Amino acid sequence: MPVYDSLPWVSTEYSYRGIEATYIENEHLRIMLLPGKGGDILEFRDKRKDVNILWNAQHEWNTLDRPYPLADSETAWLNYYPGGWQMNLPVAGMGREIPGTEYGLHGETALIPWEVTETHQDEDRAEVTLETNLVQYPFSVCRTLRLPASTPELEIETEVSNNSRMDLEYTWQEHIALGKPLISDETEIDVPAERGLVESDSDAFPNGRLRNGESFQWLAAPGRDGGEIDLCSVPPEDSEIHDLVFALELSEDRYTVSNPSLDLGFTFEFPTDLFGSVWYWQAFNGHMEAPFFGRNYNIGLEPTTGYPMAAEERRTNGSMKMLEAGETKQATFTASVFDGV
């Protein structure tokens, strides 16, 4: 447990499973992130309720090798996946070929170490800045996480730069996995969207309840049994369901997840002009393949710059993004907790 003299507070003096860890804390929230492993956020704890709203993996995920795992492996991302919150870049979803090499699932940023380049704390705020340079792609990333003194919210300012002389395509995803106790059969989900699309890869979701590849008016999704599935609610823990659906035509720049029995909610705000979709991963103990084997009762609500899983389909539907030579793209996110529904 971190020890501090006053709040707000930040420290880089810790490790987690042998990986460099950083804590940032105010009177409402405690955040633990792993600069030594992708800058992942593994703890987003509401101190008032003593609840970590993020899902932490039950499988024995690996710590990073030296040298680092190759990002072209289709299994590397999952083998090193601890749950929590990752930034995925320059690939989200299925891997793809790039000139001279290729990427596996979810790209590279979660598989390489980040460096803490600056910390700051005073009576008004605590903040930490992380930076990294991708190995297989000429992108650099700078990410500043800030906790104001008196509010239950985390602000994240991110810059992604193309350091090459070529215009390059990319997909950027904030891969946020929420778990128990926030997620239960009493949880209510609000993603303001007009349209939904079910992932079409039926082989990847044999335990799915949604009809593959179907476009529909959000929230009532077409079920494989011919009925409709209310995506606002969560099935019970004894379910064996695994689905992926995309929320599109977003009408507000946030989503909210709340649990009345906990008197606790979580809101994530993001720029919808860049992140035009939210990937809704429904892993209700139905992901029977490695590394989960039916051990993940959680949801992922993942703002992403494009959709669906396959890069070629993103090129076809126009949602694949391009970062010009020398260009820097900026985005600001706010993650907060609240009482009530």
Side-chain angles (χ1 to χ4, degrees):
M1 184 69 64
V3 178
Y4 45 78
D5 297 324
S6 62
L7 294 173
W9 174 86
V10 61
S11 177
T12 61
E13 301 298 318
Y14 294 87
S15 65
Y16 179 77
R17 295 182 54 152
I19 301 173
E20 177 189 354
T22 293
Y23 280 91
I24 181 169
E25 187 165 352
N26 68 7
E27 63 180 287
H28 299 283
L29 296 173
R30 182 168 71 242
I31 311 297
M32 182 185 75
L33 58 145
L34 301 183
K37 192 276 168 193
D40 294 5
I41 301 174
L42 293 195
E43 182 178 16
F44 191 104
R45 185 171 299 276
D46 183 332
K47 294 166 62 176
R48 301 165 298 176
K49 307 288 186 180
D50 194 24
V51 169
N52 180 17
I53 60 101
L54 297 176
W55 175 73
N56 288 171
Q58 294 181 334
H59 60 264
E60 187 63 22
W61 58 276
N62 295 318
T63 54
L64 289 178
D65 298 324
R66 305 292 191 273
Y68 308 111
L70 294 176
D72 61 0
S73 166
E74 288 295 335
T75 61
W77 197 92
L78 287 174
N79 290 342
Y80 293 87
Y81 176 49
W85 175 354
Q86 291 73 36
M87 176 187 180
N88 291 331
L89 189 79
V91 173
M94 298 174 185
R96 63 178 178 85
E97 293 184 0
I98 61 175
T101 185
E102 62 181 345
Y103 274 113
L105 178 72
H106 286 336
E108 185 178 346
T109 40
L111 296 175
I112 57 177
W114 294 53
E115 180 184 359
V116 176
T117 58
E118 187 176 353
T119 63
H120 176 88
Q121 67 180 61
D122 59 25
E123 62 182 11
D124 296 321
R125 72 188 191 281
E127 66 182 37
V128 58
T129 298
L130 310 177
E131 298 183 22
T132 195
N133 294 301
L134 278 63
V135 177
Q136 295 181 191
Y137 221 57
F139 280 11
S140 59
V141 186
C142 179
R143 204 156 160 91
T144 297
L145 296 86
R146 179 181 304 108
L147 281 180
S150 59
T151 57
E153 62 183 32
L154 173 68
E155 302 169 358
I156 302 180
E157 297 177 356
T158 304
E159 293 185 349
V160 177
S161 299
N162 179 358
N163 302 313
S164 78
R165 296 163 59 185
M166 299 174 56
D167 299 347
L168 293 170
E169 65 180 15
Y170 71 95
T171 303
W172 175 357
Q173 180 179 77
E174 297 293 322
H175 190 283
I176 303 170
L178 307 173
K180 298 188 300 182
L182 179 64
I183 302 305
S184 75
D185 57 5
E186 296 188 36
T187 300
E188 300 175 7
I189 298 169
D190 179 19
V191 183
E194 299 297 325
R195 185 168 67 90
L197 177 68
V198 183
E199 171 58 36
S200 60
D201 185 359
S202 58
D203 292 338
F205 301 93
N207 288 342
R209 56 180 176 162
L210 304 181
R211 197 180 309 154
N212 298 320
E214 289 288 327
S215 180
F216 61 94
Q217 183 175 351
W218 192 265
L219 284 156
R224 294 184 185 181
D225 61 0
E228 290 186 343
I229 306 298
D230 179 11
L231 297 178
C232 181
S233 60
V234 172
E237 193 171 350
D238 59 1
S239 304
E240 293 184 356
I241 295 168
H242 186 212
D243 271 308
L244 178 63
V245 64
F246 310 100
L248 309 175
E249 299 174 17
L250 304 175
S251 56
E252 296 185 31
D253 60 355
R254 55 88 185 164
Y255 66 71
T256 298
V257 179
S258 57
N259 189 318
S261 66
L262 291 178
D263 191 29
L264 177 62
F266 171 72
T267 294
F268 188 67
E269 300 174 61
F270 57 97
T272 54
D273 56 342
L274 179 59
F275 294 84
S277 65
V278 174
W279 295 22
Y280 179 14
W281 177 35
Q282 302 164 63
F284 304 126
N285 288 329
H287 193 309
M288 299 306 183
E289 298 79 26
F292 303 110
F293 296 107
R295 294 176 294 177
N296 56 327
Y297 182 74
N298 66 276
I299 68 171
L301 285 172
E302 307 155 11
T304 310
T305 57
Y307 71 95
M309 286 272 284
E312 186 55 44
E313 293 184 61
R314 289 197 284 275
R315 296 187 188 103
T316 300
N317 67 28
S319 67
M320 179 69 82
K321 300 297 185 183
M322 189 72 68
L323 196 61
E324 296 180 359
E327 182 184 6
T328 295
K329 187 71 67 175
Q330 299 176 327
T332 299
F333 311 98
T334 302
S336 58
V337 291
F338 59 90
D339 296 330
V341 179

